[in-house]
Amino acid sequence: RNAESFSATRSRAWDGWNQCAGILRERGAWTSIARVADIGCGNLRFKAFLDDQLDECPEIWAVDNCTSLLPEAARVHFQELDIVKTLIEDGTLEGKLRVPPCDLVCAFGVMHHVPDAINRKALFESMLDITRPGGHVIASFWQFMNDDRIARKALETTKIAIDAYP
């Protein structure tokens, strides 16, 4: 419903992506990335970052539950999958991700959507399962409580949820 306006506010690269690229450069892995799995790919802005940073963009396996976020001309292997719903209902993503072994598996802006440690652990295990030996897994974690405005909103939302589902 809100894909267009949501996507419009998400175009710039995250600062952390440059830090990750620097670490991978130090390890000699940055220019040898042939396959990337972008879990929770959104509007593919990480692919745009890779396009800008690398001479040749790797093959991208993109997974998300919102196809309307994808640019029309996206040249990726896309899998529509509601990661959170699947984790809640099945407790695992085992056998659900149609992704070959990748050199880099990432989940940016995803973990805060995954409820409880058990489901986050299951997501990490699935990410590791699709990482080729010697590959890398990268995930981001928001620190809500470091921003007063967001912390206040998170506390209000938590109270509403607790009151609604005691």
Side-chain angles (χ1 to χ4, degrees):
R1 220 176 19 223
N2 302 311
E4 190 174 326
S5 62
F6 179 86
S7 186
T9 63
R10 284 147 180 89
S11 59
R12 72 172 186 81
W14 287 6
D15 295 337
W17 294 349
N18 285 314
Q19 293 172 331
C20 293
I23 292 168
L24 292 173
R25 276 188 197 95
E26 288 172 11
R27 295 178 178 200
W30 184 241
T31 56
S32 63
I33 297 170
R35 289 183 182 160
V36 173
D38 188 352
I39 308 300
C41 65
N43 65 359
L44 295 173
R45 68 178 159 160
F46 185 64
K47 180 190 180 307
F49 172 78
L50 294 173
D51 285 339
D52 287 344
Q53 296 290 313
L54 296 169
D55 292 334
E56 189 174 322
C57 189
E59 277 190 275
I60 307 289
W61 271 261
V63 180
D64 206 303
N65 68 334
C66 186
T67 57
S68 55
L69 280 174
L70 294 176
E72 280 187 40
R75 292 205 168 129
V76 298
H77 305 276
F78 180 73
Q79 179 185 357
E80 185 175 4
L81 177 67
D82 189 326
I83 295 160
V84 174
K85 182 179 179 185
T86 303
L87 285 168
I88 290 170
E89 291 177 355
D90 300 344
T92 184
L93 292 177
E94 187 175 339
K96 305 283 191 314
L97 290 174
R98 295 186 311 270
V99 176
C102 291
D103 305 295
L104 176 61
V105 179
C106 57
F108 298 115
V110 174
M111 291 299 172
H112 64 280
H113 292 289
V114 180
D116 88 40
I118 292 170
N119 288 324
R120 287 188 291 277
K121 181 177 184 272
L123 176 53
F124 266 111
E125 288 171 348
S126 293
M127 291 171 68
L128 289 168
D129 286 345
I130 60 172
T131 304
R132 72 158 182 80
H136 296 82
V137 174
I138 301 173
S140 65
F141 291 87
W142 284 11
Q143 297 177 353
F144 292 111
M145 304 316 275
N146 291 349
D147 180 308
D148 289 338
R149 183 184 62 81
I150 297 172
R152 194 169 40 258
K153 188 174 180 178
L155 291 171
E156 290 168 5
T157 304
T158 299
K159 183 180 178 341
I160 291 168
I162 289 170
D163 290 347
Y165 304 98

